[in-house]
Amino acid sequence: MSGSLAERSEPDPRTASGPLLDVSGIKLSFGGIKALDDVSFTVDSGQIVGLIGPNGAGKTTMFNCLSRVYVPNEGQIRFKGQPILKEPTHRIADIGIGRTFQNLALFKTMTVLQNVMVGGHCTTASGFIGNALRLPSVRREEDELVGRAWSLISYLGLESVAHARVSDLPFGTQKRVEIGRALASKPTLLLMDEPAGGLNHEEIGGLGDLIRQIRDERDITVLIVEHHMSLVMAISDKVVALDFGRKLAEGTPAEVQKDPEVIRAYLGTND
Amino acid sequence: MPTRNPADMLQIAGIEMVSWRRIWLVAGLVIAIALPFLFEGFTVFQLTRALIYAIAILGLNLLTGFNGQFSLGHSAFFAIGAYTTAIMMDRWEVAYYWTILPAAAVCFVAGFLFGLPALRLEGLYLALATFALATATPQILKYEPVAKFTGGVQGLDVFPDDSPVSFLSNDQWWYYFTLVVALIAFLVAWNLVRGRTGRAMIAIRDNPIASKTMGINTALYKSLTFGVSAAFTGVAGALEAIVIQFVAPDSFTFLLAVSFLVGLVVGGIGSIPGAIFGGLFILLIPNWADQISQGLSWAIYGLFLIGAVYVMPAGAAGLVRLVTMRLAKKPSG
């Protein structure tokens, strides 16, 4: 793990012109509480970026701003150079930002296959009339989507449970289904909210490999919120640390780990 | 490539579930076609009405069962469908079969428009808003300015042509006409539910925020589903007007809307074939209750209802599912 840390600290050659995601000056308050206070950072194409911080630091709130579930009071978010805060929530998947949720937000009465197929909603276009008549174009689109969903299911090793209702599956499996569902939208940027939460030691090792594979084989940039420090530090090209809604540090895992502010936030101080 | 659903490969008496489903479908169709020759006139008329209610319940099921939006106001769309047909036949002497699609279209627009403000309401609040729609409808139909179209309190008489087939009585003819419309309605509903639109509808019911994040335009889908649901129920209303040959404001009270909801729950929420059982239940049980004791018919209906919900907590469709699960075995060898 320490070997890969050293490799990751070098700039990624895939980093081309301009960042993929540019977050600048985001402020968001709930009542009088500043959930996010002037947060800025960038994610370059092809990177795995870790967003860390103690509980209540504002990580998930940041994710909710990126997927337009929340609208920040101030600041700008640009994706591929385009501002996205004016876009409606349902357009975000189409633009190329997929996400998984911290506490599982699967469609619980649906099967694994159906969940992954809903993930592909933005990649398909048929409407009520076409579906009502089950036009040939709808059948083709449906077949293509089933095929694509199935290849994701086998990629994630979910074949044996593909037709099971997701609510009947163990937590770790449901987390994989969420990843499959997010990948089905063919994202350029994947937001993963605590993918290691609730997983055992072995599963976490596999998860690290999976996230790297997703980046390397599918060319997807990953922004990950995670509490599991050794995972984040092992796979991230860059780490952004938040605390009380403010950015404490941004840099390579090695730099952030040494940052005195970050150490203080995690270990607490007596002064 | 996708493997088959293991549930489809389970067997009862050595026959796979997929085949059983086909067998039941064919058997159901044969029974449905044979029924008018097995019973006399009035029973055939009652079965026709049960089919009509089944279509109305199917519409409610798309909205409430699949999309998770409550409606206590579907009697209003049933009324709009019935009056569209009655007015077209009464005023412009349109043939009855040309009034079904316009009734669907008018109800789609009405449902879509009602669905827009309903976007801001959830659960019980939406139930209250639709309740208002149900209670307002009979009064609006009697209201002076619209009474010249609707016939006011007296309603409208409708005179559809007699059976064009010599060996079919009028009752039998209306039964078959209704059956064909019902088959189309059930096929369309099944197509909607199993494809992209249906997945989006269910996803919105299961998790609205995740649906938006997956790229589903939830506002548009919810209002379109409201429109489609109203269209189905409107088609049922149109058929009712033709079959009863009369529309009057007080046939479309809040009690009718509640009956649809009863049929939905008893038949099976989120089940397409369940609507048929629901339609039979809300038509036949009140009649039986009435035959047992006129003075206590509602109490007896209540007992039937409690019994049905107690025996079949997931509706008739749920009971069928449970029984097949018990009987089904993995293929041997």
Side-chain angles (χ1 to χ4, degrees):
Chain A
M1 275 206 180
S2 57
S4 62
L5 262 179
E7 281 165 31
R8 291 269 167 249
S9 60
E10 282 166 24
D12 197 304
R14 276 168 298 192
T15 310
S17 59
L20 178 67
L21 179 72
D22 184 356
V23 176
S24 64
I26 294 296
K27 291 186 183 176
L28 177 59
S29 307
F30 296 111
I33 298 157
K34 285 179 181 168
L36 291 171
D37 190 7
D38 203 13
V39 176
S40 302
F41 65 92
T42 60
V43 176
D44 288 333
S45 193
Q47 281 187 326
I48 295 175
V49 174
L51 191 57
I52 63 165
N55 283 325
K59 307 181 297 291
T60 298
T61 308
M62 189 69 236
F63 262 31
N64 282 336
C65 290
L66 291 173
S67 53
R68 273 287 288 98
V69 175
Y70 296 159
V71 186
N73 305 124
E74 281 179 51
Q76 184 57 267
I77 298 173
R78 283 172 189 279
F79 181 68
K80 296 177 184 167
Q82 300 298 315
I84 63 164
L85 288 175
K86 290 247 155 59
E87 297 286 347
T89 313
H90 68 264
R91 283 270 304 137
I92 299 299
D94 214 8
I95 289 169
I97 303 179
R99 83 172 277 188
T100 68
F101 292 82
Q102 183 182 353
N103 298 317
L104 290 177
L106 287 168
F107 306 118
K108 56 186 185 301
T109 64
M110 296 173 126
T111 66
V112 171
L113 179 63
Q114 286 168 332
N115 266 278
V116 176
M117 285 174 78
V118 175
H121 184 89
C122 69
T123 65
T124 48
S126 66
F128 274 82
I129 294 173
N131 272 269
L133 303 173
R134 194 108 180 147
L135 297 175
S137 60
V138 172
R139 275 170 212 245
R140 269 198 304 279
E141 183 186 84
E142 192 81 355
D143 289 346
E144 189 271 337
L145 182 58
V146 169
R148 205 147 48 76
W150 198 266
S151 73
L152 282 169
I153 283 170
S154 58
Y155 181 71
L156 295 166
L158 295 165
E159 295 103 322
S160 61
V161 292
H163 296 286
R165 267 168 74 119
V166 286
S167 55
D168 297 335
L169 299 173
F171 190 79
T173 315
Q174 293 195 32
K175 286 233 146 186
R176 281 182 105 76
V177 178
E178 273 227 346
I179 295 173
R181 187 179 67 173
L183 290 177
S185 67
K186 299 183 179 169
T188 317
L189 173 67
L190 177 61
L191 310 175
M192 301 177 93
D193 198 349
E194 297 200 20
L199 301 190
N200 63 35
H201 190 72
E202 202 177 322
E203 288 171 324
I204 290 173
L207 178 69
D209 294 338
L210 176 65
I211 295 171
R212 277 207 202 91
Q213 270 178 33
I214 288 172
R215 191 264 306 266
D216 296 337
E217 294 171 8
R218 296 179 172 261
D219 223 9
I220 293 171
T221 305
V222 180
L223 178 61
I224 170 174
V225 160
E226 191 45 75
H227 275 299
H228 199 280
M229 276 311 135
S230 61
L231 174 72
V232 179
M233 295 303 171
I235 63 170
S236 300
D237 300 293
K238 175 161 122 175
V239 173
V240 177
L242 297 180
D243 190 30
F244 292 114
R246 287 177 306 112
K247 184 172 80 176
L248 293 183
E250 178 177 358
T252 63
E255 286 164 2
V256 170
Q257 273 172 314
K258 275 182 284 188
D259 190 288
E261 288 268 356
V262 174
I263 293 168
R264 195 171 335 147
Y266 272 91
L267 300 178
T269 51
N270 294 321
D271 53 38
Chain B
M1 263 291 116
T3 58
R4 287 176 63 201
N5 188 340
D8 288 342
M9 291 191 287
L10 294 176
Q11 296 179 343
I12 299 176
I15 298 172
E16 279 191 0
M17 295 306 295
V18 197
S19 313
W20 271 117
R21 251 172 253 145
R22 287 198 195 113
I23 292 168
W24 277 113
L25 198 66
V26 173
L29 268 177
V30 169
I31 293 170
I33 291 167
L35 278 174
F37 294 102
L38 302 175
F39 293 100
E40 13 168 12
F42 183 70
T43 310
V44 175
F45 174 71
Q46 294 285 49
L47 288 170
T48 308
R49 294 192 65 200
L51 269 180
I52 291 171
Y53 285 152
I55 299 171
I57 292 165
L58 182 65
L60 182 61
N61 206 351
L62 290 175
L63 184 72
T64 305
F66 290 94
N67 198 218
Q69 303 191 73
F70 264 102
S71 172
L72 286 172
H74 262 47
S75 57
F77 302 116
F78 196 77
I80 294 170
Y83 270 93
T84 304
T85 286
I87 292 170
M88 282 179 82
M89 290 175 73
D90 180 60
R91 288 242 145 189
W92 301 303
E93 297 180 350
V94 179
Y96 64 89
Y97 40 86
W98 290 122
T99 67
I100 307 284
L101 280 179
V106 169
C107 287
F108 173 82
V109 172
F112 182 79
L113 292 178
F114 191 83
L116 292 176
L119 290 172
R120 307 213 160 263
L121 305 167
E122 302 237 334
L124 290 172
Y125 301 95
L126 182 57
L128 291 189
T130 49
F131 167 68
L133 185 67
T135 48
T137 301
Q139 275 193 332
I140 292 170
L141 290 170
K142 292 179 214 166
Y143 189 54
E144 198 57 39
V146 295
K148 62 172 179 270
F149 293 100
T150 63
V153 186
Q154 276 94 43
L156 293 171
D157 283 304
V158 173
F159 304 102
D161 301 331
D162 282 338
S163 165
V165 185
S166 57
F167 60 87
L168 291 179
S169 71
N170 278 344
D171 283 331
Q172 287 170 325
W173 170 251
W174 295 127
Y175 174 87
Y176 285 120
F177 182 74
T178 305
L179 183 63
V180 168
V181 176
L183 286 175
I184 294 169
F186 275 81
L187 181 68
V188 166
W190 165 234
N191 280 344
L192 282 177
V193 162
R194 67 177 162 154
R196 180 180 189 254
T197 43
R199 281 193 301 274
M201 283 158 64
I202 299 169
I204 291 167
R205 176 193 75 190
D206 281 2
N207 197 321
I209 290 180
S211 315
K212 270 191 199 173
T213 310
M214 295 304 128
I216 297 168
N217 185 346
T218 52
L220 183 68
Y221 261 91
K222 284 172 87 170
S223 1
L224 282 174
T225 306
F226 223 114
V228 170
S229 166
F232 273 80
T233 304
V235 166
L239 289 167
E240 171 105 334
I242 295 165
V243 167
I244 305 233
Q245 308 190 354
F246 175 64
V247 291
D250 291 325
S251 319
F252 309 106
T253 58
F254 173 61
L255 189 61
L256 181 67
V258 175
S259 291
F260 293 156
L261 210 60
V262 167
L264 171 67
V265 174
V266 171
I269 298 166
S271 155
I272 286 187
I276 299 169
F277 188 86
L280 284 168
F281 187 94
I282 63 170
L283 190 92
L284 297 179
I285 301 298
N287 282 352
W288 285 345
D290 217 35
Q291 280 165 21
I292 294 169
S293 162
Q294 281 197 331
L296 283 174
S297 59
W298 283 108
I300 294 164
Y301 180 68
L303 285 176
F304 269 112
L305 193 53
I306 291 167
V309 174
Y310 188 76
V311 176
M312 314 178 296
L319 185 69
V320 170
R321 212 173 300 132
L322 196 74
V323 171
T324 42
M325 291 286 269
R326 285 276 164 82
L327 294 174
K329 293 190 187 81
K330 282 197 177 130
S332 50

